[in-house]
Amino acid sequence: MKETDISGSDAAREADRALKAKHRAMWALGDYPAVATEVIAELGPELAAAAGAAPGIRVLDVAAGSGNAATAAALAGAEVVASDLTPELLEVGRSQAEAAGAKLEWRQADAEDMPFGDAEFDAVMSCVGVMFAPHHQATADELVRVCKPGGRIALTNWTPQGFIGQMFATMKPYAAPPPPGAQPPPLWGDPDHVRALLGDRVEDFSAERRQLAVGHFGGPEEFRDYFKANYGPTIAVYRNIADDPEKVAALDQALAELPKKFRLDGDSPVLTWEYLLVTARRR
């Protein structure tokens, strides 16, 4: 019986390693740093402010990507560590931060198993990042663990009903099936879900739905083609159906239709992307 348990544990660990390798490869596809700087740049400084980034504050940015929030926190005077599963994103972030005159530390790390000590940071934040880790409770546990008592946790996550949440819903029928136990990323945009994940380990919990105005795209097809070229999850879905022209055409049409439902006003090319800003303090 003991041998069976050990084998099962080894198999689970191997499956998790394979899943994380797949995630690293997916986020290295395309050009996510371009998305972060050209499309959602406003989210970084906003989150850094919500996390209380300031001189004397030690901040961890989890699933930082290329560091749009981490760099903003460093420019605000905080001592910052930016961590992410994908080293390619960290390399771009390091170069961008240096160009902006920001000094911070970059660490490759899994959001579900971080190489940091208990209660090491005054603030822990993530800008539409930790929501993509597959096991939500494990991720939430790590966010709380590395935050000091009285320290702040600040998160921005795309909501299920918002533009990006609906983009994932649109792509789901064409995507490879998720592995057992993996949860949908947009659940992190549900206040009740996040509150349950953090539980009574936090206080002063706040969840506010906000809108990001996105005017980067001249039309629906331009949005679709930009995400097909630059956004790892979208690229991965198209690769999954590459040998089925009918499915490719159907997804092309569905993604081109999506922006029409989220226009700021009438025929305006400006889109509204809803996200949830969560702040809390560790007890």
Side-chain angles (χ1 to χ4, degrees), residues 108-176:
Q108 184 177 0
D110 180 353
E112 298 178 3
D113 185 18
M114 293 192 285
F116 306 112
D118 295 352
E120 188 171 335
F121 296 92
D122 301 297
V124 180
M125 64 180 185
S126 184
C127 184
V128 293
V130 294
M131 63 181 293
F132 292 101
H135 306 111
H136 294 188
Q137 191 61 64
T139 302
D141 292 347
E142 284 291 270
L143 295 177
V144 174
R145 181 184 67 80
V146 300
C147 188
K148 292 180 179 179
R152 188 174 299 182
I153 296 171
L155 311 169
T156 51
N157 301 311
W158 302 119
T159 65
Q161 66 274 17
F163 183 88
I164 297 296
Q166 288 301 297
M167 184 187 75
F168 275 94
T170 299
M171 296 192 300
K172 183 178 179 179
Y174 306 93

Side-chain angles (χ1 to χ4, degrees), residues 21-85:
K22 184 177 180 181
H23 273 231
R24 282 196 300 270
M26 180 185 71
W27 286 106
L29 295 172
D31 190 355
Y32 182 75
V35 178
T37 57
E38 297 172 357
V39 184
I40 63 169
E42 296 174 29
L43 296 183
E46 178 185 73
L47 182 64
I57 299 297
R58 182 165 166 78
V59 177
L60 174 64
D61 188 0
V62 185
S66 52
N68 58 328
T71 299
L75 291 173
E79 179 186 346
V80 181
V81 177
S83 67
D84 196 272
L85 190 65

Side-chain angles (χ1 to χ4, degrees), residues 167-218:
M167 184 187 75
F168 275 94
T170 299
M171 296 192 300
K172 183 178 179 179
Y174 306 93
Q183 294 175 279
L187 278 178
W188 278 91
D190 178 342
D192 292 337
H193 182 70
V194 182
R195 188 70 184 88
L197 291 173
L198 298 175
D200 60 6
R201 298 171 297 178
V202 302
E203 57 189 359
D204 299 331
F205 179 89
S206 171
E208 179 185 351
R209 289 186 173 90
R210 295 189 176 187
Q211 299 286 345
L212 176 69
V214 177
H216 185 75
F217 308 109

